[in-house]
Amino acid sequence: MKKMMLSTLLLSTILGLSSCSNSSNTENSTTQNVDEHAGHDHADHDHSRHNHTEEAAEQQRRIEELSQKAPAQVLPQFKFYKVKSGISFSNEDIPKGKKSAFILFDPNCGHCQIEAGQLSKNYNKLKDVNIYFISMNDPALMANFLETFGKDLVGKPNVEVLYDRNQDFIQKIHVPKQFPANYVYNAEGKLQSHWDGEKNIDFILTEYTK
């Protein structure tokens, strides 16, 4: 039950982002709750039924705590689903002998869209890297992400867009502070590098291919 509650909390927080950050919106939400609470008539008010401000603060604290934990140093077992076909995708489906770059993204995040475009324009340099775009959003919102923002990545054998239906990423790998969040694992499944937020394409290419 605790794991399910945590998953729901993190999912609702991460999917509620508009600025590609895991902290700004939850902070604004907490502030808004405080402001709304201040405007209430507190006479004869039953606070035992009205503790949403405290709950929001506790949720924010828990999210900050989780986001400060280091990513999984060895790629754990996971199960995602291919957006186009719905077919499951796990560790066993990763082609051997190549590095794998996992990009946790939100299809509505501008920085994520920019990164997809940059990777698309430089695909010839990334043919030997497995590239996985992963999101917990509704698959319908993800379906045309690459067609819209990363056209040269569409249909490539080393590129997949995956739906994280069970929130395996934030449960097992990492809770990032910003989108897009990149995690590069070597051919042996060991973490090589990771970063949150938008980066220069030269930096990304170096980290993916070094």
Side-chain angles (χ1 to χ4, degrees):
M1 178 63 70
K2 183 177 181 181
K3 181 177 180 180
M4 184 175 294
M5 291 175 63
L6 174 59
S7 173
T8 301
L9 163 62
L10 291 174
L11 180 61
S12 62
T13 300
I14 292 175
L15 296 187
L17 307 179
S18 61
S19 62
C20 307
S21 169
N22 261 4
S23 57
S24 59
N25 281 9
T26 46
E27 290 172 357
N28 290 339
S29 176
T30 301
T31 301
Q32 182 179 0
N33 286 338
V34 172
D35 291 342
E36 291 175 352
H37 190 270
H40 289 169
D41 182 0
H42 286 68
D44 300 321
H45 196 73
D46 183 1
H47 281 268
S48 66
R49 300 181 181 178
H50 195 59
N51 61 351
H52 58 270
T53 302
E54 291 82 358
E55 291 176 354
E58 174 60 22
Q59 290 177 356
Q60 176 64 21
R61 184 200 66 77
R62 181 60 173 153
I63 291 166
E64 289 294 332
E65 177 184 299
L66 287 169
S67 66
Q68 290 172 7
K69 290 186 176 180
Q73 297 301 299
V74 177
L75 189 64
Q77 291 294 318
F78 63 78
K79 180 179 285 188
F80 303 135
Y81 296 85
K82 296 181 180 181
V83 168
K84 294 294 186 181
S85 65
I87 297 173
S88 64
F89 185 94
S90 66
N91 304 60
E92 288 72 24
D93 298 305
I94 298 177
K96 307 300 181 184
K98 293 183 178 181
K99 291 182 181 180
S100 295
F102 295 85
I103 306 167
L104 191 64
F105 79 105
D106 181 329
N108 295 316
C109 164
H111 297 303
C112 303
Q113 296 165 4
I114 290 173
E115 180 167 315
Q118 292 176 329
L119 294 175
S120 177
K121 293 177 182 178
N122 289 274
Y123 175 72
N124 287 335
K125 300 176 183 178
L126 300 169
K127 292 180 178 180
D128 294 325
V129 180
N130 301 315
I131 301 175
Y132 302 113
F133 289 86
I134 303 165
S135 180
M136 294 169 286
N137 288 82
D138 185 334
L141 298 176
M142 302 160 58
N144 296 313
F145 179 75
L146 289 187
E147 284 83 351
T148 304
F149 303 105
K151 295 180 179 180
D152 290 336
L153 300 177
V154 176
K156 297 300 189 288
N158 61 321
V159 180
E160 289 284 357
V161 180
L162 303 170
Y163 172 42
D164 184 6
R165 186 172 70 190
N166 300 312
Q167 298 94 57
D168 269 9
F169 203 99
I170 59 174
Q171 300 273 9
K172 299 178 179 179
I173 299 178
H174 191 229
V175 178
K177 291 183 177 180
Q178 291 184 315
F179 292 146
N182 286 251
Y183 304 81
V184 182
Y185 285 85
N186 65 21
E188 289 72 42
K190 296 181 179 180
L191 185 66
Q192 175 181 294
S193 61
H194 73 93
W195 62 91
D196 293 351
E198 184 177 354
K199 295 290 185 182
N200 181 279
I201 187 58
D202 292 332
F203 171 86
I204 296 175
L205 292 175
T206 298
E207 293 301 309
Y208 276 22
T209 60
K210 67 181 182 182

